[in-house]
């Protein structure tokens, strides 16, 4: 995941400044077509999704009142899991992006929506809409790259603690909503600061987030189980809510990782971004820093249409139901300008993203140069890098870099 400016081959080297601005104009035209065509069918779509989600959640919670019966527990848990995924992905995420503000419906508007999640809408909109979508895949600026807890680039110096990142990435996936809440608060950075140096907004935002978490936990782990108490279903109902939250978190984490982290997605250095980035240059960064998931219409809905991550990053404020329509037009622009339209099925993208998590948890080149024959010596080298000082690690890294160069030379020969 080397930054694009440090790669041997720059995939944009063939583009002139005029090409980039022409590309931007073509993408603007695609966006304008959708804006001009928005109407009743789009409004009907989001109203239907909201209606289905609410009925599914209410029905599932009703079934869980009898969850002492195994069939009721299974049906209720599956239904509640799906309802939570729909609310977070196709509704909450997209409503808070302002995709439906044009309807002027106060009930489905980015300024009024509060979602079923540990994060507050206000905090999420700042960290996601303002920061992530502005600084997409810029190392050190876009904390969606690894959420500030992982090594995400070969140029980041490897440390033995990074060996644990597959584990804490999995833990983060299971409790993703709380990880995002901490990320929205910039909890790590603010907690490292002395109290007097923390921004005044931090205490207020932390208080609002804790209030939100308490509200969500009360609904799922107190009210629903208490309502199920008369049928002896309190504990099964509590367990069902917990499982539904974990399922939602694992699904959301997987979809979001697939959008920006698989092998082949580009990252950028802050110093390589122009002070006055043009519309075309911004578009180009979104194109190269995102990738899609291919699949059925149902899968697209369940991902909040973030399976069309490329289109979402180009047009974050367009109705999500239109991404499938514009995707072929966007892909045609990629092909016209000789750029790679990165799309693959969900299992392949998840596998690729996790491969990168594991690869970057190890010293550069270790995984690529390890095979069944040299595994003992490679493990010995890794052990030495874990237990030795910085100087020894640097020497060992030089050794690995030489191995990688030899492998590349052998393949090229």
């Amino acid at each position: 995941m080397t930054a694009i400016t440090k790669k041997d081959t720059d995939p944009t080297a063939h583009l002139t400044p005029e090409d980039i601005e022409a590309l931007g104009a073509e993408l603007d035209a695609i966006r304008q077509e959708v804006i001009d065509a928005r109407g009743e069918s789009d409004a009907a779509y989001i109203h239907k999704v909201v209606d289905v989600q609410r009925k599914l959640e209410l029905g599932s919670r009703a079934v869980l009142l009898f969850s002492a019966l195994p069939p009721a527990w299974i049906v209720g848990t599956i239904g509640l899991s799906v309802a939570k995924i729909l609310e977070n992905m196709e509704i909450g995420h997209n409503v808070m992006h302002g995709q439906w503000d044009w309807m002027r419906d106060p009930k489905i508007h980015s300024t009024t929506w509060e979602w079923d999640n540990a994060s507050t809408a206000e905090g999420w909109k700042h960290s996601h809409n303002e920061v992530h979508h502005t600084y997409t895949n810029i190392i050190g600026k876009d904390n969606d790259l690894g959420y500030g807890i992982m090594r995400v680039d070969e140029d980041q110096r490897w440390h033995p603690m990074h060996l644990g990142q597959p584990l804490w990435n999995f833990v983060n996936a299971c409790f993703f909503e709380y990880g995002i809440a901490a990320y929205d608060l910039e909890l790590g950075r603010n907690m490292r600061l002395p109290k007097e140096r923390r921004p005044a907004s931090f205490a207020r935002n932390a208080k609002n987030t804790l209030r939100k978490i308490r509200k969500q936990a009360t609904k799922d782990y107190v009210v629903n189980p208490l309502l199920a108490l008369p049928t002896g279903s309190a504990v099964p109902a509590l367990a069902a809510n917990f499982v539904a939250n974990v399922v939602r978190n694992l699904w959301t984490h997987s979809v979001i990782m697939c959008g920006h982290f698989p092998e082949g997605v580009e990252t950028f250095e802050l110093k390589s971004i122009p002070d006055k980035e043009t519309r075309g240059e911004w578009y180009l960064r979104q194109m190269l820093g995102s990738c899609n998931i291919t699949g059925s219409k149902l899968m697209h809905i369940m991902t909040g249409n973030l399976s069309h991550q490329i289109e979402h990053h180009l047009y974050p404020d367009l109705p999500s139901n239109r991404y499938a329509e514009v995707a072929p037009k966007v892909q045609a622009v990629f092909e016209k300008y000789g750029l790679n339209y990165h799309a693959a099925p969900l299992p392949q993208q998840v596998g690729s993203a996790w491969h990168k998590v594991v690869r970057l948890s190890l010293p550069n080149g270790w995984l690529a140069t390890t095979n069944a024959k040299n595994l003992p010596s490679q493990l010995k080298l890794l052990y030495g890098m874990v237990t030795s000082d910085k100087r020894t690690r640097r020497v060992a890294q030089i050794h690995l870099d030489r191995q990688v160069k030899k492998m590349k030379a052998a393949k090229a020969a």
Side-chain angles (χ1 to χ4, degrees):
M1 202 170 180
T2 304
I4 190 171
T5 47
K6 294 188 176 181
K7 285 193 169 183
D8 295 335
T9 305
D10 182 348
T12 66
H14 62 288
L15 296 176
T16 65
E18 291 74 22
D19 288 333
I20 294 171
E21 295 316 304
L23 171 154
E26 292 187 41
L27 292 173
D28 272 339
I30 293 171
R31 177 177 184 274
Q32 192 61 46
E33 285 179 18
V34 176
I35 290 176
D36 292 342
R38 288 181 311 198
E40 291 182 7
S41 63
D42 301 293
Y45 170 80
I46 190 60
H47 281 122
K48 182 177 180 180
V49 173
V50 171
D51 183 58
V52 167
Q53 187 279 328
R54 287 175 176 169
K55 287 176 178 175
L56 181 59
E57 180 174 0
L58 184 62
S60 299
R61 290 191 182 279
V63 170
L64 289 175
L65 297 179
F66 306 93
S67 55
L69 301 171
W73 190 91
I74 293 170
V75 171
T77 303
I78 292 173
L80 187 58
S81 300
V82 173
K84 283 178 173 285
I85 289 170
L86 274 175
E87 198 284 331
N88 272 196
M89 303 297 282
E90 183 66 337
I91 304 173
H93 172 275
N94 296 332
V95 169
M96 292 191 297
H97 257 299
Q99 293 181 7
W100 306 99
D101 287 1
W102 58 273
M103 297 191 308
R104 302 292 190 268
D105 184 340
K107 294 180 180 179
I108 308 177
H109 200 276
S110 62
T111 59
T112 59
W113 192 270
E114 188 58 76
W115 60 347
D116 177 27
N117 203 288
S119 295
T120 64
E122 179 186 8
W124 183 87
K125 283 187 287 187
H126 168 71
S127 63
H128 186 81
N129 294 1
E130 296 176 28
V131 179
H132 168 60
H133 276 266
T134 301
Y135 302 107
T136 307
N137 281 29
I138 298 176
I139 299 166
K141 288 290 286 185
D142 181 7
N143 281 334
D144 269 34
L145 276 176
Y147 304 105
I149 62 172
M150 292 195 296
R151 180 176 183 246
V152 297
D153 192 88
E154 287 89 344
D155 290 326
Q156 291 175 296
R157 183 170 292 176
W158 181 83
H159 189 275
M161 71 174 183
H162 289 123
L163 287 172
Q165 77 178 29
L167 173 61
W168 59 68
N169 188 47
F170 176 71
V171 172
N172 183 45
C174 292
F175 302 98
F176 193 48
E177 61 180 311
Y178 301 104
I180 291 298
Y183 160 70
D184 291 345
L185 289 169
E186 297 184 273
L187 191 62
R189 183 180 69 84
N190 281 307
M191 292 305 290
R192 285 192 295 270
L193 294 172
K195 261 189 176 182
E196 62 275 10
R197 290 182 56 196
R198 293 173 192 167
S201 60
F202 173 69
R204 182 187 72 251
N205 293 338
K207 185 178 179 180
N208 290 339
T209 299
L210 288 173
R211 185 185 298 118
K212 180 75 184 298
I213 290 172
R214 184 166 61 248
K215 180 180 177 181
Q216 299 304 108
T218 299
K219 177 186 68 176
D220 285 345
Y221 304 128
V222 178
V223 174
N224 201 209
L226 282 177
L227 290 173
L229 196 59
T231 64
S233 301
V235 173
L238 187 150
N241 276 272
F242 177 77
V243 170
N245 282 321
V246 171
V247 169
R248 182 266 313 275
N249 290 338
L250 287 170
W251 175 260
T252 305
H253 179 271
S254 295
V255 170
I256 292 173
M257 273 230 309
C258 287
H260 296 285
F261 211 64
E263 303 283 1
V265 177
E266 303 293 350
T267 56
F268 308 88
E269 294 181 291
L270 181 60
K271 64 182 180 182
S272 71
I273 307 302
D275 291 336
K276 294 183 179 179
E277 191 177 34
T278 66
R279 182 72 168 168
E281 289 168 337
W282 181 84
Y283 270 139
L284 183 61
R285 181 157 53 82
Q286 309 308 312
M287 295 165 79
L288 299 176
S290 311
C291 62
N292 284 2
I293 304 168
T294 58
S296 67
K297 184 176 181 179
L298 177 61
M299 190 277 294
H300 292 315
I301 292 172
M302 292 299 290
T303 65
N305 276 286
L306 292 182
S307 46
H308 298 292
Q309 187 72 255
I310 295 170
E311 288 71 29
H312 172 61
H313 263 267
L314 292 173
Y315 313 120
D317 60 344
L318 290 187
S320 59
N321 62 309
R322 293 299 191 106
Y323 289 149
E325 172 191 328
V326 303
K329 300 175 184 178
V330 169
Q331 187 170 2
V333 175
F334 272 76
E335 292 171 358
K336 179 178 178 179
Y337 290 93
L339 300 169
N340 178 41
Y341 188 84
H342 195 318
L346 181 64
Q348 184 176 328
Q349 296 291 43
V350 170
S352 179
W354 272 97
H355 178 270
K356 186 175 288 183
V357 170
V358 173
R359 178 170 65 80
L360 292 171
S361 73
L362 296 159
N364 290 347
W366 190 90
L367 198 61
T369 57
T370 300
N371 53 52
K373 291 183 179 179
N374 69 1
L375 181 59
S377 61
Q378 289 289 89
L379 287 173
K380 183 178 178 181
L381 175 65
L382 181 61
Y383 178 78
M385 295 181 76
V386 170
T387 57
S388 301
D389 56 24
K390 290 182 181 179
R391 182 180 176 280
T392 305
R393 284 202 293 271
R394 283 197 293 269
V395 172
Q397 185 60 67
I398 291 170
H399 172 71
L400 280 171
D401 292 341
R402 286 173 179 166
Q403 281 186 280
V404 171
K405 285 182 180 178
K406 286 181 181 178
M407 282 180 59
K408 288 182 178 179
K411 285 182 180 180

